[in-house]
Amino acid sequence: MARNLARILRGCGSLVPFMKTPARPPRSSSSSIPVRTLVEMLPSLFSSKPRDFSLPNSSWGEEMMRLYEHYNGHTETEGEENQERKWNRLPSYNRSLKYAAGGVYLSKLIQSKARLFTRNIRDPGAAFEYVLFIDKEKEKCVCIFQAGHLLEGPPGHVHGGAIATMIDTVTGTHASAISAPVLTANLNIDYRSPIPLGSTVLIESTLEKTEGRKLFISCKVTSTDGSKRHTDATALFVSVSIGHLLKG
C-alpha cells in the first residue's frame, strides 16, 4: 500500500510544482518511502483547508502544552457568565497573498509560495513556535512562545531580532484584532535578560489607549512563572485602509 501511495504522491508532485517532495530514502524490502512521511504529506495533498500553525505539534515542550491547555481551558463559551477573563485562541495561517506593493497581481505560483515571515519555516520546533490568545474585550493579548534552534543569537540564547519580531507580531496581531488593517509606526524595545533557546516564555500585550487611527500598546516578555522579566516594549500602530496597502 505504501508503494501505491508513493506513486500517487509523485504524480501529484508533478501537477503541483511548488510542493517539495521529500528526499527518497534507501530502498528496503517493505517500502520505498517511510509510512510516517506519507501520513504527514497526505493531509496537505487531499485537504484544501490551510494548516493552523497555532495548534499543538510534536515539537511543543511540556511547559508550552501546559500553558496552551490553561488558556484554551479558559476560552469563552456561549451563555457563560463572564466571572473571569475569557480567552479566544487566534488561528495562525500562512499568508494568502494576491497583490504586491503597488497593487500588482501576483501569479498563482508566487501566491502559493508566499509565507508569513514567522511561518516561513515548516519544520516543527525549528524556529517560531507560538500561539496567541486574546481576551473578550480585546484589551489584552497573550502569546505562548517557544524559540527553536534556528533563532540563535548569543550562544545558546535567542537573537534580539527574533524577539523583536515576536513582539511586533503579538502587538500587531492585537492591534489588527481591534482595528484591521494596521501598520507599525513605532516600536521601542528594552532588552533586560536573554532568553535561552528552547525555552518557553509569555509575551503579554496590553492596549493602553487609542487616539483616532492610532493605537498605543505596551508589551512585556517574561518567564512563564513571571519571576524573570526578559523584555519590555511599547508600540504605536496606525489603522490604514486596504487601498493604502495596495498602493504601496
Side-chain angles (χ1 to χ4, degrees), residues 74-99:
H74 288 77
T75 55
E76 183 180 8
T77 56
E78 188 175 353
E80 186 177 11
E81 294 276 340
N82 189 21
Q83 297 176 345
E84 57 181 327
R85 191 179 301 280
K86 303 301 178 184
W87 299 96
N88 293 317
R89 183 181 64 85
L90 298 176
S92 181
Y93 304 107
N94 279 338
R95 176 176 294 161
S96 176
L97 186 66
K98 290 186 178 181
Y99 297 93

Short mmCIF file of all heavy atoms in Angstrom, two decimals, residues 74-99:
data_model
loop_
_atom_site.label_atom_id
_atom_site.label_comp_id
_atom_site.label_asym_id
_atom_site.label_seq_id
_atom_site.Cartn_x
_atom_site.Cartn_y
_atom_site.Cartn_z
N HIS A 74 -9.76 28.31 29.29
CA HIS A 74 -10.48 29.50 29.72
C HIS A 74 -11.04 30.27 28.53
O HIS A 74 -11.22 31.48 28.58
CB HIS A 74 -9.56 30.42 30.53
CG HIS A 74 -9.23 29.89 31.88
ND1 HIS A 74 -8.31 28.88 32.07
CD2 HIS A 74 -9.71 30.20 33.11
CE1 HIS A 74 -8.22 28.60 33.36
NE2 HIS A 74 -9.06 29.39 34.02
N THR A 75 -11.30 29.55 27.43
CA THR A 75 -11.91 30.19 26.28
C THR A 75 -13.38 30.42 26.56
O THR A 75 -14.01 29.73 27.35
CB THR A 75 -11.77 29.32 25.01
OG1 THR A 75 -12.29 28.01 25.27
CG2 THR A 75 -10.31 29.21 24.61
N GLU A 76 -13.93 31.40 25.86
CA GLU A 76 -15.31 31.80 26.12
C GLU A 76 -16.28 30.78 25.52
O GLU A 76 -16.10 30.31 24.39
CB GLU A 76 -15.58 33.18 25.51
CG GLU A 76 -16.97 33.70 25.78
CD GLU A 76 -17.18 35.07 25.14
OE1 GLU A 76 -16.29 35.50 24.39
OE2 GLU A 76 -18.22 35.67 25.41
N THR A 77 -17.30 30.43 26.25
CA THR A 77 -18.37 29.58 25.74
C THR A 77 -19.67 30.35 25.79
O THR A 77 -19.91 31.17 26.68
CB THR A 77 -18.51 28.29 26.58
OG1 THR A 77 -18.72 28.65 27.94
CG2 THR A 77 -17.26 27.45 26.47
N GLU A 78 -20.53 30.09 24.82
CA GLU A 78 -21.78 30.84 24.69
C GLU A 78 -22.64 30.68 25.93
O GLU A 78 -22.86 29.59 26.44
CB GLU A 78 -22.54 30.35 23.46
CG GLU A 78 -23.75 31.20 23.12
CD GLU A 78 -24.41 30.76 21.83
OE1 GLU A 78 -23.85 29.89 21.15
OE2 GLU A 78 -25.47 31.30 21.52
N GLY A 79 -23.14 31.80 26.44
CA GLY A 79 -24.03 31.79 27.57
C GLY A 79 -23.33 31.69 28.92
O GLY A 79 -23.98 31.68 29.96
N GLU A 80 -21.99 31.68 28.91
CA GLU A 80 -21.25 31.53 30.16
C GLU A 80 -21.10 32.88 30.85
O GLU A 80 -20.90 33.91 30.21
CB GLU A 80 -19.87 30.92 29.88
CG GLU A 80 -19.09 30.59 31.13
CD GLU A 80 -17.77 29.93 30.78
OE1 GLU A 80 -17.41 29.94 29.59
OE2 GLU A 80 -17.12 29.40 31.68
N GLU A 81 -21.20 32.88 32.16
CA GLU A 81 -21.02 34.10 32.94
C GLU A 81 -19.56 34.55 32.82
O GLU A 81 -18.64 33.76 32.93
CB GLU A 81 -21.35 33.84 34.41
CG GLU A 81 -22.82 33.50 34.65
CD GLU A 81 -23.68 34.74 34.76
OE1 GLU A 81 -23.12 35.82 35.03
OE2 GLU A 81 -24.90 34.64 34.57
N ASN A 82 -19.37 35.86 32.62
CA ASN A 82 -18.01 36.40 32.49
C ASN A 82 -17.46 36.74 33.87
O ASN A 82 -17.29 37.90 34.23
CB ASN A 82 -18.02 37.63 31.58
CG ASN A 82 -16.62 38.09 31.24
OD1 ASN A 82 -15.68 37.32 31.34
ND2 ASN A 82 -16.49 39.34 30.86
N GLN A 83 -17.19 35.71 34.68
CA GLN A 83 -16.70 35.91 36.03
C GLN A 83 -15.19 36.11 36.07
O GLN A 83 -14.66 36.63 37.02
CB GLN A 83 -17.10 34.72 36.90
CG GLN A 83 -18.61 34.56 37.03
CD GLN A 83 -19.00 33.32 37.82
OE1 GLN A 83 -18.17 32.44 38.04
NE2 GLN A 83 -20.23 33.27 38.25
N GLU A 84 -14.50 35.67 35.06
CA GLU A 84 -13.06 35.87 34.96
C GLU A 84 -12.71 36.10 33.50
O GLU A 84 -13.55 35.96 32.62
CB GLU A 84 -12.32 34.64 35.50
CG GLU A 84 -12.69 33.34 34.80
CD GLU A 84 -11.95 32.15 35.38
OE1 GLU A 84 -10.80 32.34 35.81
OE2 GLU A 84 -12.51 31.05 35.38
N ARG A 85 -11.46 36.48 33.26
CA ARG A 85 -11.08 36.80 31.88
C ARG A 85 -11.22 35.58 30.98
O ARG A 85 -10.74 34.50 31.31
CB ARG A 85 -9.64 37.31 31.84
CG ARG A 85 -9.25 37.91 30.50
CD ARG A 85 -7.83 38.43 30.54
NE ARG A 85 -7.64 39.44 31.56
CZ ARG A 85 -7.99 40.72 31.41
NH1 ARG A 85 -8.56 41.11 30.28
NH2 ARG A 85 -7.76 41.58 32.38
N LYS A 86 -11.89 35.77 29.84
CA LYS A 86 -12.06 34.69 28.88
C LYS A 86 -11.14 34.93 27.69
O LYS A 86 -10.97 36.06 27.23
CB LYS A 86 -13.52 34.62 28.40
CG LYS A 86 -14.53 34.44 29.53
CD LYS A 86 -14.27 33.17 30.33
CE LYS A 86 -15.25 33.04 31.48
NZ LYS A 86 -14.96 31.87 32.33
N TRP A 87 -10.55 33.88 27.21
CA TRP A 87 -9.58 33.98 26.12
C TRP A 87 -10.08 33.28 24.88
O TRP A 87 -10.65 32.18 24.96
CB TRP A 87 -8.25 33.38 26.54
CG TRP A 87 -7.63 34.05 27.72
CD1 TRP A 87 -7.70 33.67 29.02
CD2 TRP A 87 -6.84 35.24 27.70
NE1 TRP A 87 -7.01 34.54 29.82
CE2 TRP A 87 -6.46 35.51 29.03
CE3 TRP A 87 -6.40 36.10 26.68
CZ2 TRP A 87 -5.68 36.61 29.38
CZ3 TRP A 87 -5.61 37.19 27.03
CH2 TRP A 87 -5.26 37.44 28.36
N ASN A 88 -9.84 33.88 23.72
CA ASN A 88 -10.14 33.26 22.44
C ASN A 88 -8.83 33.01 21.70
O ASN A 88 -8.03 33.93 21.53
CB ASN A 88 -11.05 34.17 21.59
CG ASN A 88 -12.43 34.31 22.18
OD1 ASN A 88 -13.02 33.34 22.63
ND2 ASN A 88 -12.95 35.52 22.20
N ARG A 89 -8.64 31.78 21.29
CA ARG A 89 -7.42 31.45 20.53
C ARG A 89 -7.50 32.05 19.14
O ARG A 89 -8.53 31.97 18.48
CB ARG A 89 -7.23 29.94 20.44
CG ARG A 89 -5.93 29.52 19.74
CD ARG A 89 -5.81 28.01 19.66
NE ARG A 89 -6.84 27.43 18.84
CZ ARG A 89 -6.76 27.32 17.51
NH1 ARG A 89 -5.69 27.77 16.85
NH2 ARG A 89 -7.74 26.77 16.83
N LEU A 90 -6.39 32.63 18.68
CA LEU A 90 -6.34 33.22 17.35
C LEU A 90 -5.64 32.24 16.40
O LEU A 90 -4.47 31.92 16.62
CB LEU A 90 -5.59 34.55 17.37
CG LEU A 90 -6.21 35.64 18.24
CD1 LEU A 90 -5.31 36.88 18.25
CD2 LEU A 90 -7.60 35.99 17.76
N PRO A 91 -6.31 31.74 15.38
CA PRO A 91 -5.65 30.83 14.43
C PRO A 91 -4.53 31.54 13.69
O PRO A 91 -4.54 32.77 13.55
CB PRO A 91 -6.78 30.41 13.49
CG PRO A 91 -7.77 31.53 13.58
CD PRO A 91 -7.69 32.04 14.99
N SER A 92 -3.55 30.79 13.23
CA SER A 92 -2.39 31.37 12.54
C SER A 92 -2.09 30.56 11.29
O SER A 92 -1.69 29.41 11.36
CB SER A 92 -1.18 31.38 13.48
OG SER A 92 -0.06 31.95 12.84
N TYR A 93 -2.30 31.18 10.13
CA TYR A 93 -2.10 30.50 8.85
C TYR A 93 -0.96 31.15 8.07
O TYR A 93 -0.55 32.28 8.36
CB TYR A 93 -3.37 30.58 8.00
CG TYR A 93 -4.59 30.02 8.66
CD1 TYR A 93 -5.60 30.86 9.13
CD2 TYR A 93 -4.74 28.65 8.86
CE1 TYR A 93 -6.73 30.35 9.75
CE2 TYR A 93 -5.87 28.13 9.47
CZ TYR A 93 -6.86 28.99 9.92
OH TYR A 93 -7.97 28.47 10.54
N ASN A 94 -0.46 30.43 7.07
CA ASN A 94 0.43 31.07 6.11
C ASN A 94 -0.39 32.10 5.35
O ASN A 94 -1.55 31.87 5.04
CB ASN A 94 0.99 30.04 5.12
CG ASN A 94 2.15 29.27 5.71
OD1 ASN A 94 2.80 29.72 6.63
ND2 ASN A 94 2.40 28.09 5.18
N ARG A 95 0.25 33.20 5.06
CA ARG A 95 -0.48 34.29 4.40
C ARG A 95 -0.97 33.89 3.01
O ARG A 95 -0.28 33.23 2.25
CB ARG A 95 0.44 35.51 4.28
CG ARG A 95 -0.16 36.68 3.53
CD ARG A 95 0.78 37.85 3.55
NE ARG A 95 0.93 38.36 4.90
CZ ARG A 95 1.95 39.14 5.27
NH1 ARG A 95 2.89 39.44 4.42
NH2 ARG A 95 2.03 39.58 6.51
N SER A 96 -2.19 34.31 2.68
CA SER A 96 -2.73 34.13 1.33
C SER A 96 -2.54 35.46 0.61
O SER A 96 -3.28 36.42 0.84
CB SER A 96 -4.21 33.75 1.39
OG SER A 96 -4.75 33.65 0.09
N LEU A 97 -1.53 35.54 -0.23
CA LEU A 97 -1.11 36.80 -0.83
C LEU A 97 -1.53 36.86 -2.30
O LEU A 97 -1.23 35.97 -3.08
CB LEU A 97 0.41 36.94 -0.72
CG LEU A 97 1.04 38.24 -1.16
CD1 LEU A 97 0.60 39.37 -0.24
CD2 LEU A 97 2.55 38.13 -1.12
N LYS A 98 -2.23 37.92 -2.67
CA LYS A 98 -2.65 38.09 -4.06
C LYS A 98 -1.99 39.29 -4.74
O LYS A 98 -1.81 39.30 -5.94
CB LYS A 98 -4.17 38.25 -4.14
CG LYS A 98 -4.94 36.98 -3.80
CD LYS A 98 -6.43 37.17 -4.04
CE LYS A 98 -7.19 35.88 -3.74
NZ LYS A 98 -8.64 36.04 -3.99
N TYR A 99 -1.66 40.29 -3.93
CA TYR A 99 -1.13 41.52 -4.51
C TYR A 99 0.18 41.92 -3.84
O TYR A 99 0.37 41.74 -2.65
CB TYR A 99 -2.14 42.67 -4.35
CG TYR A 99 -3.43 42.45 -5.08
CD1 TYR A 99 -4.50 41.87 -4.43
CD2 TYR A 99 -3.56 42.80 -6.42
CE1 TYR A 99 -5.71 41.64 -5.09
CE2 TYR A 99 -4.76 42.58 -7.09
CZ TYR A 99 -5.82 42.00 -6.43
OH TYR A 99 -7.00 41.78 -7.09
#
